[in-house]
């Protein structure tokens, strides 16, 4: 199971995807969890309502979304368990697109950026971390 999670393709296309997606989600996650970059912080963010009625208690789901952004971004940036990090980001982006931004496509409050981030995370789910990743190093193929 671990071997499948850390397997990666040798192509370099996943490296810039990882770097861009990881930096973006570490920043967004740090806003929500730590209150960095003028963000709300975890206490305030977990008071927001959840996007779907079945998400109860809302504070738990909102906390999970914030942690998924920060942890998923860190994993993707390092290329450590890249597919796990990309999966966390994919779940958050699908929730944002369907639960908060649908059917608006263009900014402000549109889903075009979330769709782009979703595409990047799906590409990493398929390809893995690439040649310059912790996954590649752990897998023993340098």
């Amino acid at each position: 199971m671990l071997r499948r999670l850390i397997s990666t393709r040798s192509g370099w296309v996943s490296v810039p995807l990882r770097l861009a997606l990881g930096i973006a989600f570490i920043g967004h996650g740090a806003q929500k969890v730590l209150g960095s970059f003028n963000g709300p912080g975890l206490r305030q963010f977990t008071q927001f309502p959840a996007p779907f009625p079945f998400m109860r208690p809302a504070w738990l789901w909102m906390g999970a979304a914030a942690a998924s952004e920060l942890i998923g971004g860190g994993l993707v940036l390092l290329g450590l368990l890249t597919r796990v990090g990309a999966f966390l980001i994919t779940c958050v982006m699908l929730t944002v697109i369907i639960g908060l931004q649908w059917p608006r496509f263009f900014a402000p409050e549109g889903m075009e950026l979330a769709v782009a981030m979703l595409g990047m995370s799906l590409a990493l789910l398929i390809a893995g971390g690439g040649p310059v990743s912790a996954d590649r190093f752990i897998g023993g193929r340098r």
Side-chain angles (χ1 to χ4, degrees):
M1 180 70 157
L2 180 63
R3 187 173 301 272
R4 282 189 172 177
L5 282 176
I6 65 172
S7 69
T8 184
R9 301 209 174 137
S10 59
W12 285 85
V13 71
S14 59
V15 176
L17 288 176
R18 265 190 28 241
L19 297 176
L21 194 66
I23 289 168
F25 273 91
I26 287 172
H28 280 276
Q31 284 184 310
K32 293 171 181 126
V33 174
L34 308 171
S36 303
F37 313 112
N38 297 320
L42 191 59
R43 175 173 282 206
Q44 187 177 350
F45 187 73
T46 55
Q47 292 176 1
F48 294 155
F52 296 109
F54 69 84
M55 293 180 154
R56 298 290 177 243
W59 63 266
L60 179 67
W61 288 93
M62 297 305 285
S68 293
E69 287 187 11
L70 185 61
I71 294 167
L75 291 174
V76 164
L77 183 68
L78 295 172
L80 176 63
L81 299 174
T82 305
R83 286 188 171 90
V84 173
F87 177 75
L88 294 172
I89 292 170
T90 297
C91 292
V92 171
M93 287 297 92
L94 284 172
T95 303
V96 166
I97 291 167
I98 296 167
L100 298 174
Q101 297 174 332
W102 189 267
R104 297 175 310 277
F105 189 78
F106 294 105
E109 302 179 18
M111 64 178 164
E112 80 276 6
L113 180 61
V115 169
M117 298 292 191
L118 176 64
M120 293 167 70
S121 65
L122 289 173
L124 292 173
L125 268 171
I126 295 166
V132 184
S133 66
D135 290 341
R136 176 66 62 133
F137 182 74
I138 292 169
R141 288 173 277 153
R142 297 184 188 153

